[in-house]
Amino acid sequence: MFSDVGAVFGIHPSLLLIAGALLVLILPVRLRHVGLLAAPLALLAVLSLDLGTTWTQPFLRYELVVLRVDELARVFATIFALIATLSVIFALHVKTRGEHIAALMYAAGSLGVVFAGDWLTLFFCWEVMAASSVFLIWYRGTRESLAAGFRYILIHFLGGNILLGGVLLLMSQGTIAVTSLTGTGGLAYWLVLIGVGINSVIVPLHAWLTDAYPEGTVTGSVFLSALTTKVAVCVLLRVFPGTELLIWAGVIMTIYGVIFAILENDTRRLLAYHIVSQVGFMVAGVGIGTDLALNGSTAHAYSHILYKALLFMGAGAVIYATGRRKLSDLGGLYKTMPLTAVCFTIAAMSISGVPLFNGFISKSITIYAAEKDGLALAALGMHVASIGTFLSINLKMVYYMFFGKDAGLEPKKLPWNMSAAMALTAFLCFLYGVYPWLLYDMLPFAMQYVPFTANKVIGTVQLLLAASAAFWLVLPKLKLDRKISLDFDWFYRGLLSLPFEWLMRGMRGVKGNVDARGGVFFEAVAPYVHNP
């Protein structure tokens, strides 16, 4: 239906976003919104691309495939461009020019990876994502965000260099096209898997996310929650389908993330752990490798981007309005922030897989695929994680933020654009949940799966009711710990920070020595170089 639009655009969607970032940079502040129109234009450009479209570019002795449109690329590009548009709406009130530029460049990099048909293009866009996304953390401007952003970029550059090592080995073997590496083995295989695995937050390579995302800006964290990990899932789907190791890595992620989320008090750190858990469903689906499981991973990535962005919007709205981020400091906000409470509850029901919301129509595919493939233990682990998700978000988080004991807070009014973005995203979570074929028809493989069978709906409702009963029984004894839970990030926050600090001190000493000696040298030679 967008074929005529396609003729008008005729451009890579990432280039539209880069052009938008440039406009934000050069236009006066009051006109910066013109540059932000690049996000919806990129969405139209994505929808206008026909399957099979390929754009190539000669580079040295290689033919780079900078755009390759297949079913997998189209579904991921669609949701990335859609969530970029919704996130831009959420951030319209932000006056910091650099934050808008970073967000648009970040989205451009994500689309670049999704459409990349060769390893060089993929790696370049991968690094654009890392370099731009860190500013969405740094622009918060606190001591914690500066430190977290620095750790974030170090980890991503490490992962990028590992990935680059694998890419160079593949190219030395004559492989430049991005294709499946499943079963190939060898050093290149493992380097690419580890490099992508870092961005996929595979435990124990996950701690950078739960360290950094809670420290991002209110609007920047919405972009962060949607893009990096799902870009990595897209690469896993393309490069490592059927890799059995990923089944159990994914199941461990689902349970690990939920356990830490249950322990958390910080709203955005709790949500960050649920990214680890929810991406685990996608990673497990990649490992199972059947058409149904791969569809499940793709569908769940699509759903996850919507409801996770909405959760971060809701938590960000609460932080913006109250200045509080700990659950123990909140309560009773449904009275003063009713729209935020409704939208956040919809997102909570979506992530918990409640029927009629989009998490149910996607998460259940991967669990069913595991059962169908005889992986009963994996399916059981994912069921347990689903119950934990319901406990920690739909019950614990919603209760303490909005319906618990009134903390007497007086929130300031939200900008209209934040409320509009939350309402639109909540509507989509419900729309896809009621009409799942809007999503199923986009998936890479033909779908015969029916989510609304009596067994699936009744079984899900029974599990959620049992979890609700357990929560209300233990609620009087629940206490929220104000400390951060110990996780793998403490290894490089604490143990590895000491030698790094010593290195920095040594480098500062060398710099001071060079500066002092250089000053003496220039003072001595200055009289001899004056114009006679």
Side-chain angles (χ1 to χ4, degrees):
M1 67 181 287
F2 287 95
S3 56
D4 292 335
V5 177
V8 175
F9 281 93
I11 191 171
H12 195 301
S14 292
L15 295 179
L16 289 170
L17 293 167
I18 294 170
L22 182 61
L23 287 175
V24 173
L25 175 64
I26 63 178
L27 289 176
V29 174
R30 64 180 182 278
L31 296 177
R32 71 188 185 284
H33 292 152
V34 174
L36 298 180
L37 289 174
L41 290 177
L43 175 59
L44 290 176
V46 168
L47 295 174
S48 75
L49 292 170
D50 295 324
L51 286 174
T53 301
T54 304
W55 296 346
T56 60
Q57 176 65 44
F59 178 74
L60 300 178
R61 58 189 180 89
Y62 300 105
E63 190 79 8
L64 303 185
V65 183
V66 297
L67 185 140
R68 178 182 61 185
V69 185
D70 58 11
E71 290 84 354
L72 184 65
R74 186 169 63 176
V75 67
F76 272 93
T78 300
I79 187 57
F80 287 161
L82 176 59
I83 203 61
T85 301
L86 293 168
S87 301
V88 160
I89 294 172
F90 188 73
L92 282 176
H93 66 284
V94 173
K95 292 182 172 58
T96 307
R97 194 190 299 263
E99 190 173 337
H100 288 307
I101 294 171
L104 291 173
M105 291 299 297
Y106 183 31
S110 70
L111 289 176
V113 172
V114 166
F115 282 126
D118 67 90
W119 283 110
L120 280 180
T121 301
L122 184 148
F123 174 74
F124 175 77
C125 295
W126 192 270
E127 293 301 278
V128 168
M129 289 177 58
S132 55
S133 60
V134 70
F135 289 97
L136 299 177
I137 301 167
W138 279 338
Y139 268 113
R140 186 157 174 255
T142 65
R143 180 179 179 181
E144 292 78 12
S145 66
L146 292 173
F150 191 62
R151 294 190 293 267
Y152 173 90
I153 201 66
L154 285 177
I155 294 296
H156 278 285
F157 281 164
L158 171 64
N161 282 320
I162 293 172
L163 176 62
L164 178 61
V167 168
L168 293 177
L169 282 175
L170 288 173
M171 291 174 63
S172 71
Q173 298 163 9
T175 301
I176 191 170
V178 179
T179 56
S180 174
L181 297 178
T182 301
T184 59
L187 181 58
Y189 170 91
W190 287 106
L191 288 175
V192 173
L193 181 58
I194 293 170
V196 177
I198 289 175
N199 277 22
S200 304
V201 288
I202 293 175
V203 176
L205 308 176
H206 69 288
W208 60 266
L209 186 149
T210 54
D211 175 26
Y213 282 16
E215 303 302 335
T217 67
V218 164
T219 56
S221 288
V222 178
F223 284 92
L224 291 168
S225 71
L227 296 179
T228 295
T229 51
K230 269 61 72 181
V231 168
V233 167
C234 180
V235 176
L236 287 178
L237 282 161
R238 192 178 293 285
V239 181
F240 297 103
T243 300
E244 188 174 350
L245 172 66
L246 295 178
I247 300 174
W248 307 110
V251 173
I252 291 169
M253 289 167 66
T254 63
I255 298 173
Y256 188 95
V258 159
I259 290 172
F260 274 84
I262 291 173
L263 297 173
E264 262 305 324
N265 185 14
D266 184 288
T267 52
R268 292 197 296 182
R269 190 170 168 88
L270 189 158
L271 293 176
Y273 273 113
H274 272 294
I275 295 178
V276 177
S277 179
Q278 295 296 301
V279 172
F281 286 90
M282 306 166 208
V283 171
V286 174
I288 295 169
T290 61
D291 288 355
L292 181 64
L294 297 177
N295 270 350
S297 294
T298 305
H300 200 49
Y302 195 103
S303 294
H304 172 83
I305 287 169
L306 286 172
Y307 61 65
K308 182 58 69 173
L310 181 54
L311 287 167
F312 269 89
M313 286 179 187
V318 169
I319 294 171
Y320 176 92
T322 67
R324 308 292 179 87
R325 54 187 285 183
K326 301 281 189 182
L327 291 176
S328 54
D329 296 333
L330 299 169
L333 292 177
Y334 77 94
K335 301 172 185 175
T336 50
M337 303 181 70
L339 177 63
T340 303
V342 170
C343 292
F344 193 91
T345 302
I346 289 173
M349 289 191 286
S350 298
I351 192 174
S352 301
V354 176
L356 302 183
F357 296 94
N358 66 341
F360 174 76
I361 63 102
S362 59
K363 183 188 296 184
S364 59
I365 301 175
T366 304
I367 297 175
Y368 179 71
E371 293 171 343
K372 192 174 180 181
D373 214 44
L375 298 166
L377 186 59
L380 176 62
M382 287 186 274
H383 276 303
V384 170
S386 297
I387 295 171
T389 300
F390 186 70
L391 279 171
S392 57
I393 290 190
N394 215 341
L395 296 177
K396 171 187 170 181
M397 200 169 183
V398 171
Y399 173 79
Y400 280 108
M401 283 178 69
F402 298 106
F403 302 102
K405 183 180 178 182
D406 196 331
L409 301 174
E410 296 182 2
K412 64 182 180 181
K413 186 178 180 181
L414 295 177
W416 69 269
N417 57 287
M418 295 178 76
S419 299
M422 287 190 288
L424 286 170
T425 311
F427 170 73
L428 290 174
C429 288
F430 178 72
L431 179 65
Y432 283 109
V434 176
Y435 297 105
W437 296 273
L438 293 173
L439 174 56
Y440 290 175
D441 289 344
M442 299 170 60
L443 297 177
F445 305 101
M447 279 286 284
Q448 302 298 323
Y449 178 77
V450 179
F452 298 116
T453 63
N455 285 340
K456 294 187 183 76
V457 173
I458 294 172
T460 300
V461 171
Q462 285 176 333
L463 285 174
L464 299 181
L465 288 175
S468 300
F471 176 79
W472 292 112
L473 285 173
V474 302
L475 180 60
K477 299 180 181 179
L478 281 181
K479 292 184 179 179
L480 295 172
D481 193 343
R482 299 188 66 85
K483 297 179 181 178
I484 294 177
S485 302
L486 186 66
D487 197 3
F488 284 94
D489 58 325
W490 284 96
F491 284 101
Y492 57 82
R493 280 198 193 196
L495 182 64
L496 297 182
S497 66
L498 290 176
F500 188 78
E501 185 177 340
W502 295 335
L503 175 63
M504 290 296 101
R505 286 179 181 174
M507 292 177 67
R508 282 196 295 268
V510 171
K511 178 181 180 298
N513 218 342
V514 170
D515 288 346
R517 293 180 182 276
V520 172
F521 171 76
F522 283 114
E523 285 181 7
V525 302
Y528 301 99
V529 295
H530 285 164
N531 189 331

